[in-house]
Amino acid sequence: MDDGQQRRLEVLHQLAQEQLRAQSAVKEAPSRERGDDLDVSVEPLTPGAKKSTSASTRLARGSRRGLIWTLIGGVALFAVVLTGLFARSRLLTAPTPTPTPGPENALIVTSNFNSGTVTVNGKKVEGTIPLLVRLNPGDNTITYSAPPFHDRTCQVTLSSQPDANSGSRARSVGEKCFTGAQEPPLFLNGVAVKNGFLYFQMTGDDLPTDLRNAAENALWAKLATSRTLQVPAGDYYATGTSATGRITSARAAVALQATLALARSTTAQGDVCPNPPCGGQPILPGQGGVAPPSGTWLIQDAVVAGWRFTTQGGALVAAPPAQFAGNMVEAGLTYSATAGWSVSGSALGPSITDLQTQLFSGSCNSGFSALQELIGQSSFANVGQNLSYGQSAAPTSTDGCAISVEGPNNNPLSPTSPNNKKYGHYIWRWGVLLAADAQAHTLFPFLPIAPQSEIAAVGGFAF
């Protein structure tokens, strides 16, 4: 009920109260007349004359009847007006049904930051990322507001016909907002979303400069806490590179300490992310696992990494140049106006493992690249693209990977071998590529022979 209706009700209530007071005054009038004998003129009645009524008495009776009818009419009017007001109020507050998104006009709006608000064509959509929204035919304006990031706006067109490849009818136009579709389609709130999702990718560019720098520094402070590992006596470790670019190594006479040496990459990100942190993966429904806590910003950053080997007492033994550059690590950051940025070093959802595991995985990718480079420089360069690689990472308690190579045709160097399509088994550990069987040693005789202890440390070859 609005303010005008409330005031009208108050006026009608006041009128009814005044009419009740007037009725009470009329009822009390005869008693007052009898109490005022000195002011009343009484004429004696003659025998046989009709009893007359004074003018004041007739007036009082008429006034009483008029007031009663007035009161009855006012109450009736009050009831009619009140009934009308309540009926009007019910009509005004009746909710208007909101059209439900269906498979043809639904779109998932998401980001790599799971907080903030989304508006579609000027209307706020309730809920949290990822959100299900309803598109109008034609052009739609979608805005994502997520402090401390700058607001982002994207234009999305809902076409009359789906794309022949993706099956989506949604087309986006905007900086760093992308549409994507999956098959089978994603499900959200019981709707199969054929149009896929609109992804607002939030990067360091979307923050004020001071907050962007603070986020980058927080990430690298977390990366610097990578734990130290032990190199057992007898294991090979990298010492540097030769003039021809091959890895040089030595065998540990005593146990050593190995620590990852990390640095920022200035070239791996290119134009995609000139001001890191870069945007991480979009948060989508149906990914499984535990969703990141509210207010988590999923990011990625390029890392150049190598090893630093020291004695148990901390004396430097070797610090070879970084061997695996441009590997991307993913993490989750949260922001507080009082505490600033904090970084989670543990797993976030189904796709982001803890940082330590990611760094070791980056090391294994470098071993894979080192082996591909060797094959590309060998007499088998022409078949290198047809080779298949198998890789098995070691437990997270140690660095290392087991790598196997197989081709579609017989290996010319071992045509009579029972495994004549194999191009060898290899070990990558502590920055050194090792030959783990005869095929590998025949192909690359300059590689050190892997000790059985190192083969066992990476889990052996089950492939």
Side-chain angles (χ1 to χ4, degrees), residues 277-296:
C278 307
Q281 297 298 315
I283 301 170
L284 294 171
Q287 291 179 310
V290 179
S294 178
T296 299

Side-chain angles (χ1 to χ4, degrees), residues 107-114 118 128-133 142 144 176-178 186 188 196-202 281-285 287:
L107 181 70
I108 295 172
V109 178
T110 189
S111 175
N112 55 312
F113 181 58
N114 61 350
V118 173
T128 57
I129 294 290
L131 279 175
L132 187 67
V133 304
I142 301 179
Y144 180 44
K176 290 191 295 186
C177 63
F178 316 97
L186 294 167
L188 184 58
F197 59 90
L198 174 68
Y199 172 37
F200 284 98
Q201 186 184 60
M202 311 306 282
Q281 297 298 315
I283 301 170
L284 294 171
Q287 291 179 310

Side-chain angles (χ1 to χ4, degrees), residues 52-65:
S52 64
T53 302
S54 67
S56 60
T57 302
R58 289 194 303 270
L59 179 61
R61 291 175 180 174
S63 298
R64 187 163 57 249
R65 287 194 297 270

Side-chain angles (χ1 to χ4, degrees), residues 5-307:
Q5 295 172 347
Q6 182 66 33
R7 287 194 294 270
R8 287 192 291 272
L9 288 176
E10 291 174 354
V11 170
L12 291 172
H13 178 71
Q14 183 178 358
L15 175 61
Q17 292 294 327
E18 291 177 354
Q19 291 172 340
L20 289 174
R21 286 195 296 269
Q23 181 183 11
S24 299
V26 171
K27 290 181 179 179
E28 294 172 0
S31 60
R32 287 198 302 269
E33 288 177 355
R34 285 190 298 268
D36 297 333
D37 294 337
L38 296 177
D39 297 329
V40 178
S41 176
V42 181
E43 297 181 359
L45 296 177
T46 58
K50 291 184 179 180
K51 189 176 183 180
S52 64
T53 302
S54 67
S56 60
T57 302
R58 289 194 303 270
L59 179 61
R61 291 175 180 174
S63 298
R64 187 163 57 249
R65 287 194 297 270
L67 286 174
I68 291 174
W69 283 109
T70 301
L71 177 60
I72 293 173
V75 171
L77 177 62
F78 175 78
V80 171
V81 172
L82 186 61
T83 302
L85 289 175
F86 278 116
R88 181 172 179 266
S89 175
R90 286 195 299 270
L91 290 174
L92 290 175
T93 58
T96 302
T98 301
T100 302
E104 302 303 323
N105 57 22
L107 181 70
I108 295 172
V109 178
T110 189
S111 175
N112 55 312
F113 181 58
N114 61 350
S115 186
T117 59
V118 173
T119 59
V120 179
N121 300 322
K123 296 181 180 180
K124 179 182 175 182
V125 181
E126 297 296 332
T128 57
I129 294 290
L131 279 175
L132 187 67
V133 304
R134 182 183 185 275
L135 298 177
N136 293 330
D139 295 336
N140 297 263
T141 301
I142 301 179
T143 299
Y144 180 44
S145 178
F149 299 93
H150 304 309
D151 289 359
R152 296 272 298 280
T153 298
C154 189
Q155 301 296 325
V156 179
T157 300
L158 184 65
S159 303
S160 58
Q161 297 296 325
D163 180 78
N165 296 321
S166 66
S168 172
R169 297 169 57 197
R171 313 284 188 273
S172 65
V173 177
E175 184 181 1
K176 290 191 295 186
C177 63
F178 316 97
T179 51
Q182 294 186 9
E183 188 61 40
L186 294 167
F187 270 81
L188 184 58
N189 298 344
V191 178
V193 186
K194 299 178 181 179
N195 297 319
F197 59 90
L198 174 68
Y199 172 37
F200 284 98
Q201 186 184 60
M202 311 306 282
T203 71
D205 281 337
D206 299 298
L207 288 169
T209 303
D210 56 337
L211 291 182
R212 175 180 62 80
N213 293 338
E216 180 79 350
N217 292 336
L219 173 62
W220 281 90
K222 189 72 175 181
L223 290 172
T225 61
S226 175
R227 67 180 183 271
T228 298
L229 303 178
Q230 181 166 293
V231 180
D235 278 12
Y236 285 91
Y237 64 94
T239 58
T241 55
S242 67
T244 59
R246 290 180 180 172
I247 298 170
T248 60
S249 62
R251 203 165 183 181
V254 296
L256 301 175
Q257 299 288 341
T259 307
L260 283 171
L262 306 177
R264 291 177 170 90
S265 174
T266 58
T267 58
Q269 298 151 67
D271 296 333
V272 177
C273 183
N275 292 315
C278 307
Q281 297 298 315
I283 301 170
L284 294 171
Q287 291 179 310
V290 179
S294 178
T296 299
W297 178 32
L298 300 183
I299 58 95
Q300 57 182 351
D301 214 338
V303 176
V304 177
W307 288 107

